[in-house]
Amino acid sequence: MSGIADALSHIRSTLPEGVELVAVSKFHPVEALQEAYAAEQRIFGESRIQELLAKIPALPADVRWHFIGHLQTNKVRHLVGTRRIALIESIDSERLLRLVDAESERAGIVSRVLLQVHVAQEETKFGLTPDELLDFFRRRAFESLRATHICGLMGMASNTDDMQRVKADFLAIASLKKQVQELCPDLRGFDTLSMGMSHDYPAAIEAGANLVRVGTAIFGERDY
Ligand SMILES: *Cc1c(COP(=O)(O)O)cnc(C)c1O
């Protein structure tokens, strides 16, 4: 078995039933993704449009591509136009959401997305603040979407070794998902909670994540 296959089988053995694994393949060559595919990995996460566009034709059609990076508004048409994105995890503003909706309608598809929330300490991270998120659902702003389905939330914990802080961040994100469900009990298919990366995914799962995004622990360090 290759290092990638070994890493995948190790990680899978730690995932409870119902938790799905996104193999974050950004900055890794197509050959690495093909190895993971041969080891039965089907969900891949990419964060840059050009790289994603180059990789899509190199992998079989049953790959489910997740976009997980900051999405610039001038790239939305390109991304949605591929019609190959299973989930855009990184919708970090209402403006971006509206644009994805408009481009999805234009392309004649329904896009599945997660709203990215910002609870971490770093200013640099993207996402809706908890207030913006709750306000969005209080206004029932999703009702005017025509070609977009909001499937849940994505978030990141603070980048720190302080595991108490990391756990608190994950619990805060999980609690936001619950608050949204309480605000809008009629919301359908709002059940995905994407949290946790190589160094903190066990804590994310404990807090309720059902989608984890793991890169380095599968593919090794990235060569930026
Ligand atoms: C790069 C990235 C990951 C994976 O991080 P690793 O530490 O390599 O597991 C997860 N989520 C997002 C949003 C990322 O950009």
Side-chain angles (χ1 to χ4, degrees):
M1 266 205 292
S2 74
I4 289 172
D6 280 345
L8 278 169
S9 73
H10 167 72
I11 292 166
R12 285 183 192 130
S13 74
T14 69
L15 299 182
E17 183 84 29
V19 177
E20 285 202 294
L21 173 65
V22 181
V24 175
S25 46
K26 64 188 186 197
F27 294 92
H28 292 287
V30 160
E31 292 72 27
L33 283 76
Q34 286 165 338
E35 260 184 72
Y37 184 91
E40 280 162 39
Q41 182 63 30
R42 290 296 178 270
I43 310 179
F44 292 87
E46 289 284 336
S47 61
R48 299 186 303 175
I49 308 276
Q50 290 312 321
E51 187 178 339
L52 174 61
L53 293 178
K55 284 173 175 174
I56 286 175
L59 273 289
D62 64 342
V63 164
R64 305 208 296 280
W65 296 101
H66 287 201
F67 192 79
I68 62 169
H70 176 59
L71 180 52
Q72 291 167 278
T73 51
N74 63 347
K75 302 273 174 67
V76 170
R77 181 167 296 181
H78 234 75
L79 184 70
V80 170
T82 64
R83 301 156 179 261
R84 283 297 319 277
I85 310 306
L87 189 65
I88 303 174
E89 297 200 21
S90 43
I91 299 290
D92 55 18
S93 71
E94 190 170 341
R95 176 165 175 254
L96 180 62
L97 176 66
R98 299 278 167 209
L99 199 57
V100 166
D101 191 49
E103 291 298 338
S104 303
E105 190 176 26
R106 188 172 180 272
I109 60 170
V110 173
S111 286
R112 300 170 71 253
V113 305
L114 304 180
L115 300 183
Q116 182 174 353
V117 288
H118 176 122
V119 302
Q121 281 159 330
E122 297 91 58
E123 297 281 318
T124 51
K125 292 215 164 96
F126 292 103
L128 286 83
T129 65
D131 282 347
E132 286 170 342
L133 180 82
L134 295 174
D135 177 64
F136 175 87
F137 285 99
R138 228 173 257 127
R139 284 187 281 121
R140 301 185 63 86
F142 56 89
E143 285 182 340
S144 55
L145 296 172
R146 301 166 64 99
T148 309
H149 185 87
I150 302 174
C151 301
L153 302 181
M154 185 271 257
M156 281 179 254
S158 302
N159 186 12
T160 168
D161 292 332
D162 177 0
M163 279 315 281
Q164 291 312 316
R165 175 77 216 186
V166 168
K167 280 182 192 168
D169 287 348
F170 286 145
L171 287 172
I173 299 164
S175 153
L176 283 169
K177 176 172 169 252
K178 205 161 158 233
Q179 289 174 65
V180 167
Q181 287 168 321
E182 281 163 10
L183 277 173
C184 305
D186 55 329
L187 204 55
R188 294 265 165 260
F190 184 84
D191 35 37
T192 300
L193 189 54
S194 175
M195 317 190 286
M197 317 184 355
S198 291
H199 65 286
D200 58 13
Y201 75 87
I205 291 170
E206 246 175 71
N210 53 22
L211 192 62
V212 293
R213 310 176 309 271
V214 179
T216 308
I218 298 171
F219 297 108
E221 295 294 332
R222 286 178 287 274
D223 238 343
Y224 289 109

